[in-house]
Amino acid sequence: MSADMFASLKLVRSDMAVERPRLALAIALACGSVLLDMVPIWAVYRLTQMLADGSATAESFWQLTALTALAIPIGYFLFGLATRNSHIVAFNLIYALRQRVARRIARIPLGALGSMRSGQAKQTVISEPERLELLVAHALPEGSSAFFTWVIVTGWLFYVDWRMALAALLFAPISFVLMGFAMKVSMGEAEEYQKAQGTLNGAVVEHLAGMPAVKIFNPGGADRSETAAAIDNLAQMQSEMGRAFVPLGGTFYALILANITLILTVGVWLLHAEQITLATFLFFVILGANYSAPLMRLFELFHHFAHISLSASALQSILDQPEQLDTRAVLPLQNHDIVFENVSFAYDSANVLEGVSFTAKEGEITALVGPSGAGKSTIATLIPRLFDVTEGRITLGGHDTRDMGLDQLMDAVSFVFQDPFLFTATVAENIRYGNPDATDAEVEAAGRAAQADDFIAQLPQGYETIIGPGSQLLSGGERQRIALARAILKDAPIIVLDEATAFTDPDSEYEIQQALGVLTRGKTVVVIAHRLHTIAGADQIIVIDHGKVQETGTHSALLAKKGAYAELWADHTAARGLGLRSSAHAE
């Protein structure tokens, strides 16, 4: 698929209206700068004419010298002003674009970005908008001034002598056509090239994050890794694009610089025939030889322009995502019961849930169990509308969750993930994320309720210790308890727990279970459980398999049925009693 050369401009079109006057000023200043750059050439041409016809005087020489000496610094000054204004426009547009992207990401379903790897996300949200700086701060003003220069110089050449002007211009249209074909051919696989760049970014970030596993399981096998494959793929695509570009593009650069050969040939012939003066000949040698300079700059910028526009497609795909429905309504809730009514859900075209119906009552614990991949986590994510159902509906307090404002829904739900995310911030700031207005005393009270106060006190700066995704200060169980403290501080009426004790040791599990008792008291609780002994006392256990509800009941009732749950329980208890045995005792 070929690239849309104007995609980058379309991307900032809505924000350009405010910046258009300043950008126009930058372009005007840049054009004024290049006009002043031509003053020395005109001065040399004029002086040569006066020397040829004998009218040159010391006074005229000093006048032309002074004019040149004045034009050069003023030209640089105008160029500096143009650059200053164009950069202000560029940074304002980048800021506005990032704001729009951030707002759109916050308003689209989580699934719209769920498959994007961290490296690709960084490239899309951070790196790609940065490329607009080259487009707006340089390509537009410098490209406009280069085109303006080319038009002025072309007119000037024809004004002086049309025959020499034709000699200077003859190769230009041929070069234009060749460059157009070269770019069309080389950019034919533009979309695939952009995807390859995103894949490489994602693979590199993932490779670095998984370096311990790489060192242990794949030493010396880096050449077989996904990162190596991504590098090879991108290199191959770049080579193919280069090979497609060079024959025509190389010819363009050769022809655009070859006009001096025609200028010298035609000029010497006309000079010998006494049809032009020496001053005219020198004028074309000086100015005509540099005639290609603005064209070279123009095409160089246009080439960058094409690549920047190519990068804009990923950003535009995010901005084109439809926003998640948000009524912004605040509805009166009868209670905090969650009811799934014949709910089905599909990722793209693959069904994950089919006809799921159950009720999670206020003040009770509802546990979701089943084999891996059964759809338990998907059910949990549908409650706070991280995704929207494909069919059926989910109600909260008697209202369809899609009829509620997202703010009201999010305020009503706390979600404790299996692998909690901690921001690069202090412990207190991470806990306070559950309630930004909480006092220090309330934060510490939440820490105590989450059984986290003791280990937090042992940290270098206590609650002011910086932690985050890469921090090695905390164990899995400690990170889990900080996430629980965050949920306790939020004090939402609905709690969703995605296997909150999955990665903890027995001591941490006991402490977390105590914290969960504080967190869930009187709430509507939905628990995803793999360790079945942790939910044996749940008010309701729902067995999920292949996206459907298989069984519902209490622990004892389900065991009595001797169905799917009884089988899961038997496997669970057998696994808990199974220990590692040495090979000597294996027989």
Side-chain angles (χ1 to χ4, degrees):
M1 181 183 294
S2 61
D4 180 358
M5 297 298 180
F6 300 101
S8 50
L9 289 180
K10 292 176 183 176
L11 196 63
V12 296
R13 181 172 49 195
S14 60
D15 303 311
M16 185 66 83
V18 177
E19 303 296 334
R20 192 172 289 119
R22 187 186 289 272
L23 182 59
L25 175 62
I27 292 174
L29 290 170
C31 291
S33 173
V34 297
L35 276 178
L36 290 173
D37 286 342
M38 284 188 274
V39 169
I41 297 175
W42 176 83
V44 171
Y45 171 58
R46 182 66 185 137
L47 182 61
T48 305
Q49 280 185 316
M50 290 189 294
L51 288 172
D53 60 21
S55 62
T57 64
E59 182 181 2
S60 62
F61 173 80
W62 287 114
Q63 286 177 344
L64 290 173
T65 301
L67 181 62
T68 300
L70 191 62
I72 291 174
I74 293 177
Y76 279 111
F77 178 72
L78 293 182
F79 181 76
L81 287 179
T83 301
R84 177 182 182 274
N85 281 278
S86 64
H87 276 83
I88 291 174
V89 172
F91 294 138
N92 286 343
L93 290 176
I94 291 171
Y95 172 79
L97 177 60
R98 283 182 173 150
Q99 288 284 84
R100 282 198 293 132
V101 171
R103 285 194 294 267
R104 181 53 60 97
I105 288 175
R107 294 173 183 170
I108 61 179
L110 181 65
L113 296 176
S115 61
M116 185 178 289
R117 299 161 77 174
S118 57
Q120 292 171 307
K122 175 186 177 297
Q123 177 185 346
T124 301
V125 180
I126 298 177
S127 303
E128 302 301 1
E130 202 66 38
R131 296 193 183 200
L132 286 173
E133 187 268 337
L134 177 62
L135 168 66
V136 178
H138 299 280
L140 285 179
E142 292 179 29
S144 299
S145 62
F147 180 74
F148 177 71
T149 302
W150 178 70
V151 172
I152 294 297
V153 170
T154 301
W156 195 2
L157 292 177
F158 274 97
Y159 175 76
V160 174
D161 189 282
W162 66 270
R163 296 162 298 180
M164 291 293 293
L166 286 176
L169 269 66
L170 183 62
F171 288 143
I174 302 173
S175 302
F176 269 84
V177 173
L178 288 174
M179 178 55 78
F181 278 116
M183 293 192 67
K184 183 177 180 180
V185 171
S186 65
M187 299 297 286
E189 302 298 324
E191 186 174 353
E192 286 70 21
Y193 175 78
Q194 183 70 11
K195 288 179 180 178
Q197 279 190 313
T199 300
L200 176 59
N201 283 336
V204 168
V205 171
E206 190 173 277
H207 186 80
L208 294 176
M211 189 56 68
V214 173
K215 285 181 175 292
I216 293 171
F217 294 105
N218 193 28
D223 57 321
R224 297 188 298 275
S225 69
E226 182 191 4
T227 306
I231 292 172
D232 290 342
N233 183 48
L234 184 62
Q236 183 178 352
M237 292 195 70
Q238 289 175 326
S239 298
E240 290 175 355
M241 292 175 71
R243 284 192 291 269
F245 175 82
V246 166
L248 294 173
T251 306
F252 158 79
Y253 285 110
L255 286 178
I256 205 70
L257 295 172
N259 65 337
I260 186 64
T261 58
L262 281 179
I263 291 171
L264 290 172
T265 302
V266 175
V268 169
W269 180 73
L270 291 175
L271 188 63
H272 179 73
E274 298 184 350
Q275 295 187 27
I276 60 172
T277 65
L278 178 62
T280 300
F281 177 70
L282 292 176
F283 169 78
F284 274 91
V285 170
I286 295 171
L287 189 59
N290 292 305
Y291 175 75
S292 60
L295 287 178
M296 295 281 285
R297 182 58 179 156
L298 190 63
F299 279 116
E300 179 185 348
L301 291 171
F302 189 70
H303 191 68
H304 287 305
F305 189 90
H307 279 277
I308 295 167
S309 294
L310 170 61
S311 302
S313 59
L315 280 170
Q316 191 61 57
S317 66
I318 293 177
L319 294 173
D320 288 342
Q321 290 282 347
E323 292 187 4
Q324 190 172 28
L325 175 66
D326 185 4
T327 64
R328 303 185 186 277
V330 179
L331 304 177
L333 303 180
Q334 302 168 5
N335 49 50
H336 291 101
D337 291 352
I338 299 170
V339 181
F340 276 63
E341 299 179 4
N342 200 32
V343 169
S344 296
F345 177 73
Y347 290 109
D348 297 325
S349 58
N351 284 333
V352 179
L353 300 178
E354 186 176 344
V356 173
S357 298
F358 67 87
T359 299
K361 293 184 179 180
E362 183 175 5
E364 294 186 356
I365 297 176
T366 299
L368 303 176
V369 302
S372 297
K376 304 182 298 296
S377 294
T378 301
I379 290 174
T381 57
L382 292 178
I383 295 173
R385 287 188 66 198
L386 299 184
F387 300 93
D388 275 329
V389 302
T390 306
E391 294 180 9
R393 69 173 190 156
I394 301 171
T395 65
L396 168 57
H399 297 284
D400 191 320
T401 54
R402 290 170 294 189
D403 294 334
M404 303 171 60
L406 286 174
D407 286 344
Q408 182 186 15
L409 180 60
M410 294 303 175
D411 286 342
V413 180
S414 276
F415 208 117
V416 180
F417 296 93
Q418 178 174 318
D419 186 14
F421 182 84
L422 300 182
F423 296 92
T424 302
T426 66
V427 173
E429 288 169 334
N430 269 280
I431 295 175
R432 190 176 278 112
Y433 204 77
N435 180 3
D437 299 323
T439 64
D440 289 343
E442 289 171 330
V443 168
E444 292 176 13
R448 286 192 295 273
Q451 306 295 314
D453 194 60
D454 288 344
F455 77 78
I456 292 175
Q458 301 300 316
L459 295 175
Q461 286 84 40
Y463 279 86
E464 297 306 311
T465 303
I466 300 292
I467 57 175
S471 174
Q472 304 298 317
L473 293 174
L474 303 178
S475 68
E478 289 168 344
R479 297 168 68 86
Q480 199 81 58
R481 275 174 275 172
I482 289 178
L484 286 170
R486 180 191 294 166
I488 288 171
L489 193 61
K490 182 175 181 179
D491 195 28
I494 298 169
I495 309 294
V496 181
L497 303 171
D498 187 354
E499 191 50 82
T501 61
F503 303 126
T504 58
D505 54 70
D507 290 337
S508 295
E509 182 177 351
Y510 173 74
E511 292 176 342
I512 290 175
Q513 289 294 345
Q514 286 186 305
L516 288 174
V518 176
L519 174 62
T520 60
R521 192 173 299 129
K523 314 284 189 181
T524 303
V525 182
V526 177
V527 181
I528 299 171
H530 297 290
R531 297 183 176 185
L532 297 187
H533 66 278
T534 63
I535 51 88
D539 299 281
Q540 177 182 217
I541 298 173
I542 300 172
V543 182
I544 307 294
D545 195 11
H546 293 94
K548 298 180 180 179
V549 175
Q550 301 294 327
E551 293 179 333
T552 302
T554 63
H555 173 71
S556 57
L558 290 174
L559 286 180
K561 285 185 178 180
K562 297 184 179 180
Y565 180 78
E567 187 174 333
L568 287 172
W569 180 258
D571 291 341
H572 172 71
T573 53
R576 291 189 73 192
L578 185 65
L580 288 176
R581 303 174 63 193
S582 71
S583 58
H585 298 88
E587 299 272 333

